[in-house]
Amino acid sequence: MSAEPISISPTQNTALDASSLSSQSSSLPLWDRLSTWASENKAIVYTIAGVAVVVTGAGVVYYRSGSRVSDSESNSEEKKRISKKERRKAKKEKEKEKEQTQPESKNTPDEYSKSKVSTVESDLFENLPHIDESTIDTLSEQDRKDYASTLKAAGNKAYGDKSYNEAIDLYGKAILCKPDPIFYSNRAACYNALGDWDKVVEDTSAALALDNEYVKALNRRANAYEHLERLSEALLDYTASCIIDEFRNTQSSNSVERLLKKVAEAKGKAILDGKEKKLPSPTFVTNYLQSFRPRPRPEGLDENADLDEESGKGQLRAGLVAMEKKTGDGYDAASAAFDKALELRDLGPHEAFAYNMRGTFRYLRGENADALKDLDRSVELQPSLTQSYIKRASMHLELGNREGAALDFEKAMAQKQDDPDIYYHRAQLHFILAEFAEAAKDYQKSIDLDKDFIFSHIQLGVTQYKMGSIASSMATFRRCIKNFDKTPDVYNYYGELLLDQQKYSEAIEKFETAIEMEKQTKPLGMNVLPLINKALALFQWKQDFQEAEKLCQKALISKPTIYSGSKGSGLTLLSVDPECDIAVATMAQLLLQQGKVTDALKYFERAAELSRTEGEIVNALSYAEATRTQLEVQEKYPKLRDKLQGQGMGGQLGGPAMR
């Protein structure tokens, strides 16, 4: 589990999504805030740059954070809060949704009801005109219009009686008299009832050729496309429908979200199957590794030990040395050295430790099955190596095995009850499950056993904040700054809490302090999160896209750069983590909100490439597919963007800030 605080907002609802849990990497708080921002500001997100559509809720990475209640309690409280007026509105909405697949009646072209046909109309049904291609040309324009109306009414009655083939014939004759989008859409409703999806697509397409903003036809065609597994086309139609209908139709909006997730999952599985197994960004790896208290190298693997570099022990030591660089190249070298150490064997008392380290890096590469085998072997060889139990617990949690994770913590405690790492990582489990009181107890126990591990203090402060004890949380962070004044992480996460309280100036000050400390102490392996946090703060406070973009770019450039400014010029290393997925995702969000949709799409796709687990890939692809759909909508329905801007919605680029 990660060393860093998992989230900061005290008011959001929690819903554990075990399938997408990861090791709570460095990206988690920011992904959480980005996803929460999108979820809380759905209408604004949908209308960025005119017609932007961004996934909400369905693709949230890891889990939603906040106070958690049981489903029954949540549903009960929700029912209490819904007023009679809201219930009536919901009932009407449900009735409206039910109408989506039914044909339009004569008098209400946008609605259909099974009302009784008038006596006059009933008489007409007894003497329906004979219409076919050979006789249609003999009719006057007025006769065609009158016959079309009669045939449509008869078709509606047949549909109401579930005589779908008869209704299809009647609507077909009405179309011969007068090609009308409603007639095509009504006939499509019949094909829909019969499950003939190709015919539904054919007729709704004909209707849309006559009226390309016909919402019911769009929804019917989208439904047919979905049944035909033409998901991207279905997504496009539902998106256009939402925009035309001004996002009032809950069913269509939900369909957009459902399809975004469905398309992303399909593409995500393909990406994952063909994805090269490699380590994630150095920021991720560093934060995972530093979640364990630093310990001296095992005896016999120190720098002064006389070891053959091509022996198992020599490679094991080489891996530990490479890890200490905290760079991408260093971590790659460490991973290769641990693999080779076990190939060469002859590890003596260090064999269990070697399996532990190889399992750790296999886990980071996403090779969970092999990683679990390595950790199983490690605890078999040396049960007292509690770190192997802890790491295995985090893997169980990522795979959704909560019971397995809890059992591993129990086994670790049976071996060494006073190991502070056990309590720290068990607290992470409680935190993820929104069991904040239990989490706080374990963080405090970890501190009592070892007060010098900064992340126990940081996590305790974050947990207090999540519990609503704002004053206690801020006091904890002030003590952290006093006792760990040279540690950049303290300033970074304290800044996050200040940002959440909209204390922008103070938050930016803390982020800047963290940035400078990172540059000074880790010039070749700096943590880029303070840069990203500052970018979000500037956006939220001043809507300063330009400066926010620059900061994200710094988090993605890994070469010496010449800078100049009021304080002079010189050479500086702006960043060392071009593969930081959260920096890429943040950049994509900022570009999207400025209407730079094509550029945003590239960054979302890049974020998917960099993602480590299936849940992360699906989340990134959901944003990418939403952005791609926006481009397609703009191309296919250019009037929709103008329509939204005319309603004063297209300019809402900023809206409430990212959180």
Side-chain angles (χ1 to χ4, degrees):
M1 306 202 184
S2 169
E4 77 169 68
I6 301 173
S7 183
I8 59 173
S9 174
T11 58
Q12 301 160 13
N13 291 328
T14 297
L16 178 63
D17 181 2
S19 63
S20 60
L21 281 169
S22 86
S23 62
Q24 291 74 60
S25 75
S26 59
S27 65
L28 185 51
L30 297 174
W31 260 123
D32 191 37
R33 262 182 283 136
L34 290 172
S35 299
T36 301
W37 173 82
S39 180
E40 291 178 348
N41 302 284
K42 181 185 293 187
I44 293 170
V45 174
Y46 270 123
T47 57
I48 286 168
V51 288
V53 180
V54 177
V55 68
T56 62
V60 175
V61 168
Y62 306 111
Y63 60 93
R64 302 179 187 89
S65 54
S67 57
R68 189 171 190 244
V69 295
S70 69
D71 291 340
S72 60
E73 290 173 340
S74 177
N75 292 338
S76 176
E77 290 300 315
E78 188 65 27
K79 288 178 181 178
K80 291 179 182 177
R81 288 195 295 267
I82 298 177
S83 65
K84 290 183 179 179
K85 182 178 180 181
E86 289 172 326
R87 284 198 294 271
R88 285 196 299 270
K89 183 179 179 182
K91 184 178 179 181
K92 289 181 180 178
E93 185 67 35
K94 188 173 182 180
E95 291 172 352
K96 183 177 179 181
E97 291 170 3
K98 187 178 179 181
E99 295 162 5
Q100 290 297 322
T101 59
Q102 296 179 328
E104 287 77 15
S105 69
K106 178 178 180 180
N107 296 321
T108 55
D110 290 328
E111 297 180 6
Y112 174 78
S113 62
K114 294 182 180 179
S115 58
K116 293 182 179 179
V117 182
S118 67
T119 304
V120 175
E121 288 175 327
S122 297
D123 292 340
L124 288 174
F125 297 155
E126 300 297 327
N127 299 291
L128 286 172
H130 176 71
I131 301 294
D132 58 31
E133 292 182 358
S134 64
T135 61
I136 191 66
D137 291 335
T138 65
L139 300 176
S140 68
E141 184 176 344
Q142 186 59 47
D143 284 343
R144 291 185 187 186
K145 183 178 179 181
D146 292 342
Y147 288 164
S149 178
T150 299
L151 289 163
K152 178 203 170 187
N156 285 358
K157 184 176 187 303
Y159 180 93
D161 293 339
K162 297 185 178 181
S163 300
Y164 300 121
N165 287 315
E166 182 183 352
I168 288 169
D169 181 61
L170 291 166
Y171 288 134
K173 290 178 179 179
I175 289 169
L176 282 176
C177 293
K178 178 186 175 185
D180 187 293
I182 291 178
F183 302 167
Y184 280 110
S185 184
N186 283 4
R187 189 168 69 178
C190 299
Y191 287 126
N192 185 91
L194 295 171
D196 191 340
W197 307 115
D198 287 314
K199 284 292 187 180
V200 175
V201 170
E202 183 180 326
D203 270 357
T204 50
S205 295
L208 290 164
L210 297 169
D211 179 3
N212 69 355
E213 293 189 12
Y214 190 2
V215 170
K216 278 200 171 181
L218 279 167
N219 286 337
R220 284 180 183 139
R221 188 171 70 177
N223 180 59
Y225 278 145
E226 189 171 0
H227 278 88
L228 293 168
E229 292 297 316
R230 295 164 65 176
L231 302 182
S232 294
E233 291 160 292
L235 178 59
L236 179 62
D237 277 354
Y238 275 131
T239 300
S241 169
C242 281
I243 295 167
I244 295 167
D245 209 27
E246 299 178 10
F247 314 100
R248 289 184 298 230
N249 189 314
T250 304
Q251 185 185 37
S252 297
S253 296
N254 290 341
S255 294
V256 167
E257 295 182 12
R258 183 186 71 254
L259 280 169
L260 280 172
K261 189 169 186 288
K262 200 170 182 179
V263 171
E265 284 176 342
K267 292 188 176 183
K269 189 177 186 305
I271 288 176
L272 199 62
D273 290 343
K275 189 178 179 66
E276 177 190 357
K277 298 296 184 182
K278 65 177 186 177
L279 293 174
S281 74
T283 297
F284 185 113
V285 177
T286 298
N287 278 284
Y288 177 79
L289 294 175
Q290 72 182 12
S291 69
F292 295 90
R293 286 163 169 79
R295 296 178 183 179
R297 294 179 198 170
E299 186 177 351
L301 297 179
D302 54 85
E303 294 179 3
N304 298 323
D306 185 16
L307 298 174
D308 179 359
E309 289 300 319
E310 293 305 313
S311 67
K313 293 177 184 176
Q315 284 297 303
L316 188 54
R317 181 176 65 179
L320 296 173
V321 172
M323 276 175 54
E324 293 170 1
K325 296 178 181 178
K326 297 184 178 181
T327 64
D329 290 341
Y331 290 135
D332 286 336
S335 180
F338 295 138
D339 287 344
K340 191 172 181 181
L342 281 162
E343 290 174 9
L344 294 170
R345 314 298 297 178
D346 190 28
L347 292 161
H350 305 301
E351 187 175 0
F353 180 69
Y355 276 108
N356 176 295
M357 296 312 300
R358 188 176 73 173
T360 299
F361 278 82
R362 281 181 164 179
Y363 166 62
L364 290 168
R365 289 198 301 263
E367 301 169 3
N368 285 344
D370 289 335
L372 282 171
K373 289 179 182 177
D374 277 350
L375 292 174
D376 288 345
R377 182 59 178 154
S378 178
V379 296
E380 287 173 11
L381 291 169
Q382 187 179 338
S384 61
L385 188 57
T386 55
Q387 196 180 93
S388 295
Y389 289 110
I390 296 170
K391 290 178 179 178
R392 193 170 67 178
S394 69
M395 294 182 204
H396 283 316
L397 188 58
E398 181 172 322
L399 295 170
N401 184 0
R402 175 180 173 181
E403 292 75 15
L407 182 60
D408 268 337
F409 284 124
E410 289 180 13
K411 290 179 178 179
M413 292 183 70
Q415 293 295 327
K416 190 177 180 182
Q417 195 167 2
D418 60 350
D419 183 344
D421 276 344
I422 298 173
Y423 296 95
Y424 175 80
H425 286 275
R426 191 174 70 173
Q428 298 283 72
L429 169 64
H430 289 309
F431 189 102
I432 288 170
L433 299 173
E435 298 165 354
F436 298 122
E438 293 303 313
K441 290 178 184 177
D442 273 348
Y443 287 133
Q444 187 60 59
K445 179 67 173 177
S446 178
I447 292 169
D448 293 340
L449 291 169
D450 176 16
K451 62 181 178 60
D452 295 327
F453 186 60
I454 179 58
F455 295 105
S456 293
H457 296 272
I458 290 176
Q459 281 288 78
L460 177 60
V462 172
T463 304
Q464 291 168 333
Y465 194 86
K466 297 291 290 183
M467 295 171 70
S469 302
I470 309 301
S472 297
S473 172
M474 303 309 282
T476 296
F477 270 93
R478 285 193 292 271
R479 286 194 299 273
C480 285
I481 288 180
K482 180 180 178 181
N483 297 325
F484 302 93
D485 61 321
K486 303 300 182 185
T487 306
D489 301 271
V490 175
Y491 296 91
N492 181 51
Y493 296 118
Y494 188 26
E496 286 201 0
L497 298 187
L498 292 168
L499 178 58
D500 193 66
Q501 298 172 66
Q502 300 183 6
K503 296 179 180 180
Y504 303 115
S505 180
E506 294 177 60
I508 289 174
E509 179 187 345
K510 296 297 182 292
F511 295 142
E512 289 176 343
T513 300
I515 291 168
E516 289 305 312
M517 285 186 175
E518 289 285 351
K519 288 180 180 179
Q520 292 169 14
T521 59
K522 295 178 283 185
L524 296 178
M526 71 174 288
N527 186 338
V528 299
L529 295 182
L531 284 168
I532 302 168
N533 274 326
K534 183 181 176 183
L536 292 175
L538 286 171
F539 165 76
Q540 182 173 339
W541 185 18
K542 299 181 178 180
Q543 309 292 293
D544 191 343
F545 287 107
Q546 186 175 7
E547 186 59 28
E549 271 191 50
K550 286 181 181 178
L551 289 165
C552 286
Q553 291 285 10
K554 287 182 180 181
L556 295 170
I557 299 173
S558 59
K559 60 184 179 180
T561 303
I562 296 175
Y563 70 89
S564 61
S566 59
K567 296 183 180 180
S569 61
L571 190 67
T572 182
L573 186 66
L574 293 182
S575 170
V576 291
D577 200 354
E579 296 195 344
C580 180
D581 57 342
I582 188 57
V584 173
T586 305
M587 188 69 170
Q589 288 279 3
L590 292 170
L591 289 167
L592 185 63
Q593 291 175 70
Q594 296 175 79
K596 300 177 182 179
V597 185
T598 303
D599 291 336
L601 177 58
K602 293 176 183 176
Y603 275 93
F604 281 130
E605 289 175 335
R606 178 61 176 154
E609 293 173 6
L610 295 173
S611 296
R612 175 177 158 273
T613 66
E614 185 174 1
E616 295 170 22
I617 292 172
V618 168
N619 185 76
L621 284 176
S622 295
Y623 280 97
E625 288 304 311
T627 307
R628 194 191 322 280
T629 302
Q630 171 186 344
L631 289 170
E632 292 174 0
V633 168
Q634 289 186 33
E635 181 179 346
K636 193 169 183 178
Y637 303 98
K639 292 182 180 179
L640 293 185
R641 178 171 181 171
D642 297 335
K643 177 182 177 181
L644 287 172
Q645 289 177 337
Q647 295 168 345
M649 299 174 71
Q652 296 184 41
L653 297 177
M658 286 186 187
R659 297 176 54 198

